[in-house]
């Protein structure tokens, strides 16, 4: 079974997104390409992971490891240590969504545990324009094994 | 086909002041039974077959042939005759005064319009009101005061730009349609924050003379672009960060849902404003000074607004988690202030406006109470 943050894990989320068509159609379409950056915790083995994701309307059309950020040209990069991502996923697994102050938007607002990187504020603002879609996509993690 | 019964039909026209002359065309049609059909040979570009994309048939999908050309100068007839149609002689002018593309245009207007239509929501249906639980008195009072402020300020982003909307040449209909969605968004924001204030045992708090002054200045802006600088770049950008803070400080899932959905809407408004100013400043660099002057004044009023208890304290109480943790809340507010200033300046950069040298917003929140106003830039 694929595990976070392997591209296959995200693609599994994408399949659930399509299966949950009504939920995402009600939220409205989203068009964005972004990167999830998973930074190893201090003392942990392995390097950081960059996963490029493309949401095209109501589906996750692409999930792949990214070697060259410039070439992928994301609207924004969501950065956090692995433990922060895993805490969010654990909360989602437990109750279907992260706790109030551990949502994508809340964490990125404070900017300590999670932060955004972007070359253009206008493109970074897509994180906010499509925030509900992004959060609901991650919330599907409660139904992905691994 | 059955006859439709019309009440008091015999009275219709019995006191009419206007005499109707019969139509020559209809008389001829009635007498000969032969339709004219001349209009069939008087079409604009013909044979157009727009193809829907994966998200249906969007405005960008019909930007084809001559229909996809947005003129730099709006049509001289100044009427609502559709762009690309055959314009007859004698259409009356509606007196549009914003007839240059650069005065209103943003490259993302059509995209944002479609997105807004697709991402509409209902405050009655989509907010889980039944999950609202009683809050400690200090938190409920703080939330209600914040909702009072937001109820007070939100509708300006409908009222103010729509004053200009009726002055925009109809050839730029994409912009007008986007602004119509913005007006709808703001109606929903006004409604949802009023509902929230009245839904959990609280009520509305204190309105603000400073907020009203800020709204009046937006209302009175001398041009659409000047207003956009003031409203979209600073005002809505500030409120966008406030919504993000709201999502963060939300004491319940109800509040979180409200702020997150409003945040999404507000991002579109900021996106339009930034791109409009980018187009306007590129075409007319001299407009920068007019926008700077608006922002000089708007930043000053924002600082004054952020210097009264009913603005500062509710956020600090909500961020800290109660009056007991007021200091912690103020500390967090200080950290977030930097983000507000950072993102505002980034948006100015994105619009092509070098605001940094003239900006009077301190990057350090503590300078709001430590230094005189003319020396607050850090």
């Amino acid at each position: 079974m694929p595990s976070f943050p392997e591209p296959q894990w995200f693609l599994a989320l994408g399949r659930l997104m399509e299966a949950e068509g009504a939920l995402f159609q009600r939220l409205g379409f989203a068009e964005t390409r972004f990167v999830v950056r998973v930074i190893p915790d201090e003392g942990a083995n392995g390097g950081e992971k960059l996963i490029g994701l493309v949401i095209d309307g109501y589906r996750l059309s692409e999930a792949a490891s990214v070697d060259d950020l410039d070439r992928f040209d994301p609207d924004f990069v969501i950065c956090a240590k692995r433990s922060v991502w895993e805490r969010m996923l654990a909360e989602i697994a437990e109750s279907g969504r992260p706790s109030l102050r551990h949502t994508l938007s809340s964490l990125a607002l404070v900017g300590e545990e999670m932060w955004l990187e972007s070359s253009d504020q206008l493109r970074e603002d897509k994180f906010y324009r499509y925030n509900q879609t992004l959060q609901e996509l991650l919330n599907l993690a409660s139904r992905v094994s691994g | 086909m059955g006859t439709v019964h019309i009440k008091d039909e015999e009275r219709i026209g019995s006191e009419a002041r206007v005499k109707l002359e019969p139509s020559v065309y209809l008389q001829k049609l009635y007498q000969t039974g032969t339709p004219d059909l001349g209009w069939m040979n008087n079409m604009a570009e013909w044979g157009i077959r727009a193809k829907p994309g994966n998200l249906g048939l969007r405005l960008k999908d019909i930007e084809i042939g001559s229909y996809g050309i947005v003129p730099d100068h709006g049509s001289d007839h100044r009427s609502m005759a559709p762009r690309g149609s055959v314009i007859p002689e004698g259409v009356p002018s509606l007196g549009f005064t914003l007839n240059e593309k650069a005065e209103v245009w943003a490259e993302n207007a059509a995209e944002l319009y479609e997105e807004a239509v697709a991402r509409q929501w209902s405050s009655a249906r989509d907010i889980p009101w039944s999950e609202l639980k009683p809050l400690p008195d200090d938190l409920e009072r703080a939330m209600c005061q914040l909702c009072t402020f937001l109820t007070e300020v939100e509708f300006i982003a409908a009222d103010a730009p729509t004053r200009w909307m009726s002055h925009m040449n109809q050839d730029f209909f994409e912009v007008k349609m986007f602004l119509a969605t913005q007006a709808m968004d703001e109606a929903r924001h006004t409604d949802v924050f009023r509902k929230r204030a009245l839904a959990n045992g609280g009520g509305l708090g204190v309105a603000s003379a400073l907020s009203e002054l800020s709204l009046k200045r937006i209302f009175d802006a001398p041009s659409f672009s000047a207003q956009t600088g003031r409203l979209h770049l600073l005002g809505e950008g500030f409120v966008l960060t406030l919504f993000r803070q709201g999502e963060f400080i939300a004491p319940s899932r109800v509040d979180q849902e409200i702020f997150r959905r409003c945040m999404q809407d507000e991002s579109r408004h900021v996106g339009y404003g930034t791109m409009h100013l980018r187009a306007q400043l590129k075409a007319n660099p001299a407009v920068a000074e007019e926008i700077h002057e608006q922002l000089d004044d708007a930043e000053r009023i924002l600082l004054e607004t952020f210097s009264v208890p009913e603005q500062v304290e509710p956020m600090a109480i909500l961020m800290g988690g109660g009056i007991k943790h007021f200091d912690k809340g103020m500390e967090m507010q200080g950290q977030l202030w930097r983000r507000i200033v950072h993102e505002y300046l980034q948006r100015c950069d994105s619009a092509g406006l070098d605001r940094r040298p003239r900006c009077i917003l301190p990057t350090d929140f503590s300078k709001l109470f430590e230094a005189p106003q003319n020396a607050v830039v850090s």
Side-chain angles (χ1 to χ4, degrees):
Chain A
M1 293 296 288
S3 60
F4 176 86
E6 292 172 18
Q8 288 299 325
W9 184 87
F10 284 101
L11 289 171
L13 283 190
R15 285 191 291 276
L16 286 168
M17 185 184 189
E18 288 191 54
E20 289 285 346
L23 167 67
F24 287 92
Q25 294 213 0
R26 188 146 152 178
L27 292 178
F29 66 75
E31 289 182 307
T32 183
R33 52 192 302 113
F34 62 102
V35 164
V36 167
R37 181 177 166 205
V38 182
I39 302 163
D41 292 302
E42 281 172 34
N45 293 326
E48 69 175 30
K49 307 274 188 208
L50 296 170
I51 312 300
L53 304 169
V54 178
I55 296 180
D56 181 16
Y58 305 107
R59 66 192 193 98
L60 184 73
S61 62
E62 192 179 324
S65 293
V66 170
D67 298 324
D68 184 341
L69 263 182
D70 288 341
R71 192 186 298 167
F72 186 77
D73 190 28
D75 293 321
F76 51 85
V77 182
I78 312 174
C79 313
K81 286 188 175 170
R82 178 182 274 270
S83 55
V84 173
W85 286 110
E86 287 180 345
R87 182 187 63 200
M88 182 189 284
L89 296 177
E91 289 178 356
I92 289 170
E94 191 176 322
S95 53
R97 62 174 74 96
S99 61
L100 287 176
R101 291 203 171 183
H102 291 161
T103 61
L104 286 173
S105 179
S106 287
L107 288 171
L109 176 72
V110 178
E112 288 173 355
E113 294 188 318
M114 178 177 282
W115 63 97
L116 301 178
E117 291 175 352
S118 178
S119 58
D120 184 346
Q121 187 63 44
L122 203 60
R123 295 183 71 185
E124 181 177 320
D125 282 349
K126 286 189 176 181
F127 174 79
Y128 311 113
R129 267 164 66 185
Y130 303 131
N131 195 265
Q132 186 95 357
T133 302
L134 301 175
Q135 189 65 63
E136 292 291 352
L137 176 67
L138 273 185
N139 289 355
L140 293 172
S142 62
R143 291 157 52 188
V144 176
S145 304
Chain B
M1 196 182 293
T3 303
V4 176
H5 173 73
I6 297 176
K7 186 184 173 192
D8 295 340
E9 190 169 354
E10 69 286 356
R11 291 185 60 235
I12 296 174
S14 59
E15 296 175 20
R17 308 287 171 88
V18 177
K19 189 180 176 208
L20 187 65
E21 294 294 335
S23 156
V24 174
Y25 157 69
L26 287 177
Q27 282 181 327
K28 186 180 167 193
L29 177 65
Y30 186 76
Q31 286 162 5
T32 65
T34 307
D36 177 87
L37 301 183
W39 54 270
M40 278 197 167
N41 298 315
N42 193 22
M43 311 297 284
E45 188 178 351
W46 190 248
I48 298 294
R49 202 179 303 276
K51 291 190 172 54
N54 61 331
L55 297 176
L57 191 65
R58 293 194 280 176
L59 286 176
K60 71 175 187 180
D61 300 317
I62 61 167
E63 287 172 0
I64 47 179
S66 58
Y67 301 101
I69 299 169
V70 182
D72 287 338
H73 312 287
S75 298
D76 291 336
H77 54 76
R78 312 280 196 253
S79 78
M80 285 199 167
R83 188 177 79 208
S85 67
V86 178
I87 313 294
E89 292 292 321
V91 288
S93 164
L94 294 181
F96 298 134
T97 55
L98 293 171
N99 295 301
E100 298 303 308
K101 182 180 179 184
E103 291 178 304
V104 300
W105 193 249
E107 284 302 328
N108 56 359
E111 168 196 338
L112 291 172
Y113 165 75
E114 294 281 10
E115 187 178 309
V117 171
R119 296 185 78 90
Q120 290 294 302
W121 50 281
S122 155
S123 70
R125 181 194 61 199
D126 295 319
I127 304 300
W129 295 107
S130 60
E131 293 181 23
L132 207 48
K133 300 275 193 314
L135 290 174
D137 189 63
D138 53 348
L139 287 178
E140 185 60 28
R141 284 179 188 277
M143 181 56 76
C144 285
Q145 180 57 42
L146 177 60
C147 288
T148 303
F149 167 72
L150 292 170
T151 304
E152 184 171 15
V153 301
E154 277 299 276
F155 207 71
I156 192 68
D159 262 352
T162 50
R163 291 179 95 187
W164 293 99
M165 214 163 98
S166 63
H167 295 273
M168 292 178 186
N169 194 297
Q170 190 67 9
D171 282 352
F172 312 127
F173 65 86
E174 291 93 337
V175 171
K176 299 170 96 163
M177 285 157 57
F178 168 71
L179 290 175
T181 68
Q182 180 175 308
M184 185 61 228
D185 291 344
E186 301 301 359
R188 191 172 45 248
H189 298 179
T190 304
D191 116 35
V192 78
F193 288 114
R194 189 175 181 86
K195 284 177 182 170
R196 172 59 188 88
L198 304 183
N200 204 27
L204 291 172
V206 188
S208 160
L210 279 166
S211 295
E212 292 300 329
L213 175 63
S214 171
L215 304 185
K216 178 173 168 44
R217 293 287 170 78
I218 291 170
F219 215 61
D220 293 344
S223 71
F224 178 68
S225 295
Q227 184 182 86
T228 299
R230 192 161 195 135
L231 173 68
H232 289 93
L233 213 54
L234 182 61
E236 300 235 68
F238 170 71
V239 170
L240 170 58
T241 312
L242 210 57
F243 286 161
R244 290 171 55 202
Q245 291 177 24
E247 205 260 5
F248 172 71
I249 61 182
S252 71
R253 199 169 83 80
V254 173
D255 297 316
Q256 187 169 62
E257 197 78 21
I258 291 171
F259 282 109
R260 186 188 293 157
R261 287 178 181 269
C262 290
M263 170 178 82
Q264 296 186 128
D265 297 340
E266 211 76 357
S267 311
R268 291 192 296 272
H269 310 168
V270 172
Y272 164 75
T274 307
M275 286 296 273
H276 164 55
L277 291 177
R278 186 187 289 185
Q280 172 69 301
L281 290 169
K282 191 174 173 190
N284 302 297
V287 171
E289 183 53 32
E290 186 185 8
I291 295 167
H292 275 307
E293 284 172 10
Q294 289 293 320
L295 293 176
D296 289 345
D297 184 56
E299 288 173 6
R300 181 184 60 78
I301 295 175
L302 180 68
L303 288 175
E304 288 177 9
T305 305
F306 240 81
S307 306
V308 296
E310 58 267 33
Q311 297 300 336
V312 175
E313 294 176 5
M315 287 303 281
I317 290 170
L318 289 165
M319 282 194 185
I323 292 178
K324 276 193 299 189
H325 308 293
F326 188 81
D327 288 351
K328 182 182 160 201
M330 284 300 291
E331 189 184 321
M332 292 174 77
Q333 195 154 216
Q335 290 168 8
L336 294 174
W337 176 262
R338 278 184 70 80
R339 185 169 298 279
I340 290 173
V341 177
H342 165 73
E343 291 185 356
Y344 163 58
L345 292 172
Q346 292 274 94
R347 288 191 189 97
C348 289
D349 290 346
S350 196
L353 187 75
D354 182 15
R355 185 64 195 161
R356 288 164 206 274
R358 278 184 64 164
C359 179
I360 62 164
L361 301 178
T363 53
D364 182 347
F365 191 65
S366 65
K367 295 206 172 161
L368 282 175
F369 48 85
E370 279 177 359
Q373 203 77 314
N374 62 359
V376 290
V377 179
S378 60

